[in-house]
Amino acid sequence: MATRIPRIAITSLLHHSRPRRGPPINLRLLPRPLHTTSPSHHPKPPPKASHLASLLLTTSLLLTLPLLSKSETSSLDPSPSPSLPLYHLSEIHQSHGPTSPEPWVTLNNKVYNITSWLPAHPGGDVILRAAGGSLEPYWEIFTIHNSPHVREILEEYLIGYIHPSDLGPDGKPPATSIEDPFVNDPVRDKRLITHTYKPRNAEPPNQELDKGFYTENGMFYVRHHMWVPEEDGGELVVELPDGEERRYTIGELKKRFKTERVTATLQCSGNRRNDMTRHAGKTNGLQWGVGAISNAVWEGVKLKDLLRDAGLELEQQENEKDMHAWFVGREAYSASIPLPKATDQNGDVLLAWGMNGETLPRDHGFPLRVVVPGNVAARSVKWLSRIVISDEEATSQWQRRDYKSFGPNEGGKEDWDKAPSIQEMPVTSAITGVWVGECVKKVSWMPGGGIGSGERVNGGGRTIDMAATPQKVGFTPKPTSSDGNTPCPETTPDKEPIALQGYAYSGGGRKITRVDVSLDGGATWDQAQLVDDCSNPATPCYGNKSWGWTRWRYNGTLPVLSLPPTVPLPPALAKVGQGCEDGFGRSVSLMGQLPKKQCTTLIVKATDESYNTQPESHKGIYNVRGNLATAWHRVKICPECTKGNGGKGGLVWNTGETYGCGFRKEAEEVREGMRAASESTGNGK
């Protein structure tokens, strides 16, 4: 089939060897800053980009690197190189703005030619809003750019300096201002744990994640690359292979097509990335816990029905397996899936306007989004404005230069064109709740359990991964004298009760058939109970395959553990109460003052109907992007003997930090970030 450039193709500024077809970017989303003017000079040709490959990972890396202080980001070059030319602001503004084939930007007193940066910018051509002016007002909003790594990369594009006559008394150009594009973002649930605010990326705490089969809309994890677009009429354009276009309003979709429902889990490719970091090495990207996954019932129209109505002859498409359906969002994001998935009778790809029986929330794509069941959530494009049937996959950063995985040895030298884009997700599972001793009696799904459906179901802290930060999960009382001086026993009680819960999920519609649990680090195994939520009339499952997650439950008894000698607790820990809702939680630094404990490691792993199962270790699947972190999930728990309040003695059970051998140093900043995230109140917006 001959390559056809779609009608929506934009003129390439990237000097590719052949035309690249991609959706238009709405460059009006940000207002253009004002600039000063002064005499003009002739443009200088762009320098050769020697670090383009490194730039391809820039934004994902930003989210794990320390941010620069304001003084660091605003520092001027005290001694401009005499070998580089001087440029007036008027020349930069007039000759190197958004429509120029050589866009330039400034930062402080320096001038940069970013022509070669454009292919690597994950925000697409939105960066062109800064072209012809200063990056500073944008970076004050998009603070993730304030990283030493970004500054180092930017220096590779330095072509000169601003003419001294255009600089103020402080040695800087006049300040410019822009509107904050995030100012109208929706208010979020304060229970969410936020990783970044602009753009917002947040996950529910373990205590809320799988409390129900359907994740409530306010607790559904939030993954944004930019701001949430303003509401509009919601017109959808469908472009066919011959270039013909068909337009639909949301009202027309609801009126003319059969309304369908699909129960589907969406999961970010970076879910459990912090687990890979702690066990295998540093990874680039948001350090998600176990909560970059959620489940919902979606309502809308089947994509295959819409494509047929638009004129696509599904039975007559030559080389259908080599064609793709592009999805374009209104904020700039775009991605694609193979056309056979889009048109599969049993594929259940949905254009959704409803979520859990409610109107689709703005954070999750209002008024219309794609839901691609079984695939990585990056393909379920929000705020859908256009669908294009093409003979190649989407050319966006998010399709070609992100959401891919590589070998453990390929960090920094990835062959992006060789690696396929992630589509169907592998099998994974996680532990989201642990209760030990007396606290088992409070678990709602245990016989006589005391926690209601509206209450928190484990521990006191807000945690994104129980394996990452210490959290109290249990208490076992023991007889003591009135003065509390009864010695600590040498071992934990025989048959100490424990209860666990969590989720398991596999992409491609593959049903979870078994969840294995170990209470002793993998020495012995048992099987968890799979919760049959689909048989519950309150939570029916819709769709042709098993697109949703499977919740699981387990109760058993712990192995007997040796206890360390009794020693006085540090004052800060001695004040901690013994109720199931109290805990050490955030006092990570105090844990080192406790005597050495003997702990046990809880493990969960899942198997799907194709007998795919999780790898034992993250070392073998390590990739610098931190994608598809699906190894066994491990949570360490440790007993601590204490006399407690009022002389009521017993054992306190804590989760403990877990690190792979030799990787604690690499994970220190990740741990600190997760602690901060766990303590964050979310602050609504």
Side-chain angles (χ1 to χ4, degrees):
M1 178 181 296
T3 298
R4 182 190 64 79
I5 301 178
R7 192 172 300 174
I8 63 170
I10 59 175
T11 301
S12 174
L13 301 179
L14 314 181
H15 311 296
H16 289 294
S17 58
R18 61 185 177 89
R20 306 294 274 182
R21 307 175 301 157
I25 303 301
N26 185 355
L27 299 181
R28 295 175 296 172
L29 290 173
L30 287 176
R32 182 176 300 176
L34 300 176
H35 302 273
T36 59
T37 59
S38 57
S40 176
H41 284 254
H42 292 291
K44 180 178 182 291
K48 183 178 181 181
S50 59
H51 287 289
L52 180 58
S54 178
L55 270 170
L56 297 174
L57 295 176
T58 296
T59 290
S60 58
L61 189 61
L62 301 177
L63 300 171
T64 58
L65 293 174
L67 298 183
L68 295 167
S69 67
K70 187 172 182 62
S71 61
E72 289 174 309
T73 58
S74 61
S75 59
L76 298 169
D77 191 332
S79 55
S81 170
S83 64
L84 294 177
L86 302 175
Y87 298 99
H88 282 284
L89 290 174
S90 60
E91 173 188 7
I92 299 169
H93 175 55
Q94 295 169 9
S95 301
H96 299 283
T99 60
S100 168
E102 291 183 13
W104 296 4
V105 295
T106 66
L107 187 65
N108 302 318
N109 62 339
K110 296 181 179 181
V111 182
Y112 304 89
N113 185 326
I114 61 169
T115 305
S116 298
W117 192 330
L118 293 176
H121 188 246
D125 284 1
V126 173
I127 193 176
L128 291 177
R129 292 307 303 161
S134 174
L135 287 172
E136 189 168 12
Y138 294 91
W139 284 14
E140 287 179 355
I141 296 172
F142 293 85
T143 55
I144 58 174
H145 291 81
N146 295 328
S147 159
H149 179 74
V150 177
R151 295 299 297 271
E152 292 171 4
I153 296 298
L154 185 61
E155 289 305 305
E156 292 296 325
Y157 301 90
L158 178 67
I159 59 171
Y161 295 86
I162 297 174
H163 197 282
S165 64
D166 289 349
L167 302 176
D170 59 355
K172 299 174 63 176
T176 60
S177 62
I178 62 171
E179 295 178 12
D180 185 346
F182 297 95
V183 69
N184 293 318
D185 270 17
V187 175
R188 280 85 181 197
D189 194 303
K190 293 183 178 181
R191 291 172 294 172
L192 288 172
I193 297 174
T194 296
H195 293 276
T196 62
Y197 283 89
K198 296 180 180 182
R200 179 58 65 97
N201 289 286
E203 64 182 293
N206 286 185
Q207 294 82 353
E208 305 288 347
L209 177 59
D210 59 342
K211 192 164 61 175
F213 179 57
Y214 296 149
T215 309
E216 63 178 282
N217 290 358
M219 281 286 96
F220 205 97
Y221 83 98
V222 178
R223 174 66 175 110
H224 293 333
H225 297 84
M226 297 183 202
W227 53 91
V228 176
E230 292 290 331
E231 300 178 15
D232 66 7
E235 184 180 65
L236 174 66
V237 179
V238 178
E239 181 182 341
L240 301 178
D242 61 2
E244 182 180 352
E245 292 184 352
R246 175 68 194 273
R247 297 174 183 271
Y248 298 87
T249 65
I250 303 300
E252 185 180 4
L253 294 178
K254 293 181 178 180
K255 183 178 180 180
R256 292 191 52 232
F257 295 90
K258 179 184 177 181
T259 297
E260 304 274 5
R261 291 182 177 87
V262 174
T263 300
T265 292
L266 296 185
Q267 179 183 205
C268 180
S269 70
N271 190 36
R272 298 184 55 208
R273 182 177 283 129
N274 81 75
D275 207 16
M276 180 176 284
T277 300
R278 287 181 290 105
H279 287 92
K282 279 189 177 181
T283 58
N284 301 334
L286 292 162
Q287 293 298 310
W288 296 107
V290 301
I293 182 173
S294 298
N295 191 53
V297 56
W298 309 91
E299 183 176 342
V301 57
K302 291 286 185 70
L303 175 59
K304 66 177 181 61
D305 295 338
L306 181 73
L307 293 178
R308 185 184 297 277
D309 183 83
L312 183 66
E313 298 293 337
L314 304 182
E315 296 82 6
Q316 299 179 14
Q317 289 302 308
E318 298 179 7
N319 303 319
E320 181 190 21
K321 66 181 180 61
D322 298 322
M323 299 186 70
H324 304 263
W326 293 17
F327 307 120
V328 184
R330 285 191 288 122
E331 89 289 24
Y333 187 91
S334 65
S336 63
I337 61 173
L339 186 59
K341 170 66 176 179
T343 59
D344 184 1
Q345 177 69 28
N346 297 317
D348 290 329
V349 179
L350 200 69
L351 306 184
W353 56 71
M355 178 179 178
N356 289 333
E358 301 176 3
T359 299
L360 194 65
R362 286 184 64 208
D363 253 340
H364 300 293
F366 177 86
L368 192 70
R369 74 169 299 165
V370 185
V371 175
V372 186
N375 285 35
V376 63
R379 312 302 168 215
S380 293
V381 175
K382 300 185 288 287
W383 314 295
L384 184 66
S385 65
R386 195 175 193 98
I387 298 172
V388 179
I389 306 304
S390 173
D391 57 3
E392 66 172 325
E393 68 175 353
T395 56
S396 68
Q397 158 77 16
W398 301 284
Q399 189 78 22
R400 299 291 183 96
R401 293 294 186 271
D402 206 347
Y403 298 111
K404 296 185 176 184
S405 188
F406 300 92
N409 61 312
E410 294 185 280
K413 53 183 179 181
E414 300 89 343
D415 185 343
W416 291 93
D417 293 329
K418 181 180 178 181
S421 300
I422 298 171
Q423 294 288 351
E424 291 186 357
M425 295 293 283
V427 61
T428 191
S429 64
I431 298 170
T432 61
V434 177
W435 300 266
V436 182
E438 288 289 295
C439 291
V440 170
K441 298 177 182 178
K442 285 184 167 278
V443 182
S444 60
W445 46 265
M446 291 290 290
I451 292 183
S453 60
E455 300 179 49
R456 280 189 176 176
V457 292
N458 47 283
R462 297 170 64 250
T463 309
I464 63 174
D465 188 345
M466 303 188 74
T469 53
Q471 178 183 5
K472 184 175 178 180
V473 294
F475 177 68
T476 305
K478 71 179 183 65
T480 60
S481 59
S482 59
D483 60 8
N485 290 326
T486 301
C488 189
E490 294 183 356
T491 64
T492 60
D494 188 24
K495 297 184 178 180
E496 181 78 297
I498 185 171
L500 309 176
Q501 75 175 41
Y503 66 79
Y505 170 73
S506 187
R510 292 178 288 272
K511 184 178 181 179
I512 296 296
T513 56
R514 194 180 76 238
V515 171
D516 301 323
V517 173
S518 175
L519 305 178
D520 53 13
T524 62
W525 295 90
D526 198 3
Q527 281 65 55
Q529 174 191 358
L530 306 185
V531 181
D532 188 9
D533 284 303
C534 293
S535 296
N536 185 341
T539 57
C541 293
Y542 301 95
N544 290 297
K545 294 185 180 181
S546 298
W547 304 119
W549 64 12
T550 297
R551 299 190 298 161
W552 57 266
R553 307 285 185 257
Y554 181 80
N555 62 285
T557 57
L558 285 169
V560 175
L561 302 176
S562 298
L563 290 168
T566 302
V567 297
L569 287 172
L573 292 183
K575 297 178 182 179
V576 176
Q578 302 306 318
C580 293
E581 294 296 322
D582 296 320
F584 301 172
R586 305 163 189 167
S587 302
V588 176
S589 61
L590 295 174
M591 299 304 295
Q593 303 176 36
L594 298 175
K596 185 176 181 181
K597 309 179 186 73
Q598 179 174 340
C599 306
T600 189
T601 299
L602 315 175
I603 302 176
V604 63
K605 62 184 179 75
T607 300
D608 68 23
E609 62 183 330
S610 297
Y611 284 95
N612 299 310
T613 192
Q614 297 171 244
E616 180 176 352
S617 168
H618 277 122
K619 294 180 182 179
I621 59 173
Y622 172 77
N623 60 96
V624 71
R625 288 290 292 111
N627 284 328
L628 310 181
T630 60
W632 299 356
H633 191 217
R634 295 169 167 85
V635 175
K636 182 170 64 176
I637 60 169
C638 309
E640 176 66 34
C641 190
T642 177
K643 66 181 182 182
N645 293 337
K648 183 182 178 182
L651 295 176
V652 173
W653 292 85
N654 269 355
T655 59
E657 300 165 339
T658 57
Y659 293 87
C661 181
F663 293 105
R664 185 181 183 93
K665 180 179 179 181
E666 285 82 350
E668 283 299 316
E669 66 186 31
V670 174
R671 183 197 66 181
E672 294 303 318
M674 286 188 294
R675 282 182 55 209
S678 295
E679 295 173 4
S680 169
T681 60
N683 253 348
K685 288 189 76 170

